[in-house]
Amino acid sequence: MSSRQHEDNSTPERPLTRHASTPSARSPGGLRVIEGGGQRRQDEPLVSRDAVARVLMEAGVDLLLRRISTARAAEIERKVDRVLDLFDRVDAAPLLMPVLQRHLDELEALMRETRQVRAPARRGG
């Protein structure tokens, strides 16, 4: 490295303006913004892998905000892992669908209970 690089900690002189958000102007691999206004989603039925993955993200947020215990978050994570595994197994063996449905129902019940437990913190905070 040259001594100039060590002495000069300024940022490179590039324009900071954004280009139009057309598909051709976006950089590949970048993040995209999903419009939503920050409102919380209504509790959705767990009928897809995506819905189950959102449960895990919700639990992670609740854990970070200390609205749920690490034990509850770990239980949710275990149940989510089991359900996602069952989704994969049902693809290969559709006869396992009743088992998947039972686990989905258990996860939904756990999440209803979790949302009720954390509700007072949301109102008071």
Side-chain angles (χ1 to χ4, degrees), residues 5 9 13 16 18 22 27 31 44 52 57 65-66 75 78 88-89 91 98 102 106 108 117 121-123:
Q5 286 174 325
N9 290 331
E13 292 181 14
L16 297 176
R18 291 187 172 233
T22 60
S27 63
L31 298 175
E44 63 182 315
V52 172
M57 288 183 267
L65 295 174
R66 298 181 180 182
E75 182 180 358
R78 278 191 304 275
D88 293 339
R89 292 177 60 199
D91 288 342
R102 187 180 77 240
E106 290 173 6
E108 279 186 349
V117 167
R122 205 176 359 183
R123 283 187 297 235

Side-chain angles (χ1 to χ4, degrees), residues 54-123:
R54 283 189 283 275
V55 162
L56 187 59
M57 288 183 267
E58 179 182 342
V61 168
D62 286 340
L63 180 63
L64 286 172
L65 295 174
R66 298 181 180 182
R67 294 190 292 205
I68 63 172
S69 68
T70 54
R72 184 172 291 267
E75 182 180 358
I76 292 168
E77 182 180 14
R78 278 191 304 275
K79 288 189 181 290
V80 165
D81 287 343
R82 178 69 175 143
V83 166
L84 291 175
D85 178 59
L86 281 167
F87 265 114
D88 293 339
R89 292 177 60 199
V90 164
D91 288 342
L95 291 175
L96 291 172
M97 189 61 189
V99 176
L100 172 59
Q101 190 59 55
R102 187 180 77 240
H103 284 276
L104 285 168
D105 292 344
E106 290 173 6
L107 181 58
E108 279 186 349
L110 177 61
M111 289 310 296
R112 267 193 309 277
E113 178 185 308
T114 299
R115 290 173 185 129
Q116 289 171 353
V117 167
R118 74 168 188 220
R122 205 176 359 183
R123 283 187 297 235

